[in-house]
Amino acid sequence: MSIAGNVGLADLPRICPLISRRVQTSVASEETRVVTVGEVQFGGGRPVVIAGPCAVESEAQTLAVARAVKAAGGDMLRGGAFKPRTSPHDFQGLGVEGLRILSEARRETGLPIVTEVMDPRLVETVAEYADMLQIGSRNMQNYPLLVEAGKSGKPVLLKRGMAASLCEWLGAAEYVAKEGNLEIVLCERGIKAFPAGEYSRNVLDLGVVPAVKEETFLPVIVDPSHATGVASMVEGASCAAIEFGSDGLLIEVACDNKGVGRPRCDAAQAINPKTLENIVKFIESRAEMRMMRKAHAV
Ligand code: PEP
Ligand code: MN
């Protein structure tokens, strides 16, 4: 018996021919297709560290975190100006004012910025400020949004839906690719599975990283912050993700000792700048080791 709509990995060449490694054999010879954001390269060998606040809350808070990310060796700044919140009564982000603050932080630190866009009608506005558009987990299958993000021509960071299969995730990426935009970076951010919510926010699915690489040439990064929801787990999850071949990390950071207060969003999962520095050092040591291994292999 076959079930309508039930798809598996064998269907990927049909579902997403533009990004399938099996179909696009010319690209398959390269390990990963490099996606460039400013001077940052995803899939270029050295994993990319994107870090910043969950939400842009004020100029002082965002600049403090941005400076700390730069000092710790981060490559890009994150921060939500439009926030998808469970309750409509909770802080929704500063909107366009948040975008302005992010561009001020980029001007000061030189870090390219990635920020979420939730509404197809706002893609043009967000693209005016951002170097990379983030499509959040809750919107992974918002097809009109994916089409608009594809048309914008901006690099897209496509987070995995919290209950999405690999096929659904890559199918969503294909919507962006179909608009002629292959500047896509995938981001695993934890899935809803037993025991999500008991001792961690979601379940970090690291096995999906090598699986993604097998099916597509697109770079894939990991968000250890939303995957675990617990600050003390973020460093370990980050290192494990790198060991699984992740092309980068998306991490939430707070500097609540700089007179800007505790974050209004996701405070329990925000790491401090010192921990971020440790993660960057780990990446550097692994990158060196990989290069040495490569040199010995030839
Ligand atoms: C985020 O990264 O700001 C975010 C809201 O994450 P997710 O979409 O993965 O929940
Ligand atoms: Mn968050």
Side-chain angles (χ1 to χ4, degrees), residues 53-55 78 83 159 201 223 225-226 252 265-266 269:
C54 175
R78 64 146 289 141
K83 293 303 299 176
K159 299 193 90 174
R201 183 172 180 175
D223 170 352
S225 305
H226 292 90
E252 290 188 350
C265 291
D266 290 350
Q269 70 194 31

Side-chain angles (χ1 to χ4, degrees), residues 140-249:
M140 188 204 81
Q141 284 177 312
N142 181 339
Y143 298 122
L145 178 61
L146 294 169
V147 168
E148 287 307 312
K151 283 187 185 153
S152 76
K154 286 271 171 181
V156 173
L157 183 64
L158 179 60
K159 299 193 90 174
R160 181 184 187 180
M162 55 189 80
S165 67
L166 177 53
C167 291
E168 289 163 340
W169 191 13
L170 296 184
E174 184 81 0
Y175 273 82
V176 178
K178 188 162 176 274
E179 299 308 316
N181 187 351
L182 273 177
E183 306 308 303
I184 306 165
V185 176
L186 300 162
C187 178
E188 155 64 19
R189 47 77 73 206
I191 49 173
K192 294 258 183 230
F194 174 79
E198 192 182 35
Y199 50 81
S200 77
R201 183 172 180 175
N202 291 291
V203 175
L204 175 54
D205 179 14
L206 284 181
V208 86
V209 172
V212 163
K213 291 192 167 288
E214 187 131 347
E215 299 300 337
T216 179
F217 48 79
L218 298 176
V220 57
I221 68 169
V222 169
D223 170 352
S225 305
H226 292 90
T228 64
V230 182
S232 62
M233 293 186 188
V234 169
E235 187 174 347
S238 297
C239 298
I242 296 304
E243 297 292 54
F244 265 74
S246 178
D247 295 303
L249 299 166

